[in-house]
Amino acid sequence: GPQDVVEVTVLGQPEYTTRTRIRTDGTVPLPYIGVLTAQGKTALDFAREVTQKLKGGYYANPVVNVEIVSYASRYVVVLGEVNTPGLQPVDRAYRLSEIIARAGGIRQDAADYVVVRKDGGNEVRLPYRKIAMGGSTDDPYVAPGDKIFVPAAETFYIYGQVNAPGAYPIQEDMTLRKALARAGGLTPMGSEKQLKLFHDGKRLKVEMERPVAAGDVIVVGERFF
């Protein structure tokens, strides 16, 4: 694609070594041949075309090699809670897990899902656990122009009679019961019957299997003796 750098060589002919950047119109100038279109072709296909152009008139039976030195046209954008955000070149078919690994992996404070926005605008949300541990259908291939975003984890807050009060990321399928376990469980003084749940300053009904929402505040009171 445009702005990629290619190197064209002929085996045994050191005078024919050309490294050039593909122009914005998709063409490259080459010695003896002139301007050829390279955009949209593989390195192998382009080498065959150069071979045909050189054969006979310039070399009897040239062996042409084309190498893509650097990619500028084929890349995905990786943003958010990864260790090395930025552009990742895609010189072959890469799965989403491979791109995340090349970006240094996901940070501890990341959400448990990844958002992939396709070049056409379609957006898909994929659970990170399935990407990392699932089958091929759970770990799709990326395409040039894709944007991959790893958001920060949404949090809840838990205070009172738990062993490890504080703020915690919300994990997949987290309920009030799981939130208590995440905070180290109840202290000897704590009681589920004295649990209070607040969201946006409003007190909500306590149900232990209720899903935890971003910004929830859980307060565990002391048991009565």
Side-chain angles (χ1 to χ4, degrees):
Q3 303 305 314
D4 290 346
V5 176
V6 296
E7 184 174 88
V8 182
T9 59
V10 177
L11 184 65
Q13 305 295 334
E15 78 281 358
Y16 201 100
T17 298
T18 302
R19 178 175 293 195
T20 184
R21 187 179 298 276
I22 299 176
R23 297 169 174 173
T24 55
D25 64 356
T27 63
V28 290
L30 294 175
Y32 308 156
I33 302 174
V35 177
L36 292 181
T37 299
Q39 181 176 353
K41 299 173 182 176
T42 66
L44 184 59
D45 288 340
F46 191 55
R48 288 172 178 155
E49 183 176 353
V50 174
T51 299
Q52 292 301 316
K53 295 289 184 180
L54 291 174
K55 194 172 184 179
Y58 301 98
Y59 301 104
N61 192 25
V63 178
V64 177
N65 180 64
V66 174
E67 180 180 353
I68 303 176
V69 179
S70 66
Y71 283 90
S73 65
R74 296 174 59 84
Y75 62 87
V76 295
V77 181
V78 187
L79 300 172
E81 301 303 311
V82 293
N83 288 299
T84 311
L87 303 181
Q88 290 290 338
V90 285
D91 53 350
R92 60 172 177 82
Y94 284 94
R95 292 195 180 272
L96 180 56
S97 61
E98 294 178 293
I99 294 297
I100 292 174
R102 287 177 61 180
I106 289 179
R107 298 175 183 168
Q108 286 187 339
D109 54 354
D112 58 0
Y113 63 91
V114 176
V115 178
V116 179
R117 185 176 181 83
K118 293 295 185 181
D119 193 27
N122 294 331
E123 191 172 285
V124 60
R125 174 171 162 167
L126 301 168
Y128 180 64
R129 182 179 294 275
K130 287 187 176 181
I131 296 171
M133 304 179 67
S136 58
T137 56
D138 299 311
D139 186 16
Y141 287 108
V142 300
D146 286 356
K147 292 182 179 179
I148 300 165
F149 178 64
V150 181
E154 298 176 320
T155 56
F156 71 94
Y157 307 87
I158 185 166
Y159 304 107
Q161 296 300 321
V162 289
N163 289 299
Y168 292 95
I170 297 177
Q171 298 175 335
E172 187 178 6
D173 299 326
M174 178 165 278
T175 62
L176 286 179
R177 190 178 305 280
K178 291 180 180 179
L180 290 178
R182 182 67 181 84
L186 300 177
T187 67
M189 297 290 294
S191 171
E192 287 187 7
K193 295 181 180 180
Q194 300 302 318
L195 190 151
K196 298 177 182 177
L197 174 64
F198 299 90
H199 186 83
D200 289 337
K202 298 179 181 179
R203 185 170 177 176
L204 305 179
K205 181 180 179 181
V206 173
E207 297 174 350
M208 296 308 295
E209 301 308 319
R210 181 190 187 111
V212 175
D216 278 359
V217 178
I218 304 166
V219 180
V220 181
E222 295 182 4
R223 69 174 65 248
F224 296 124
F225 293 96

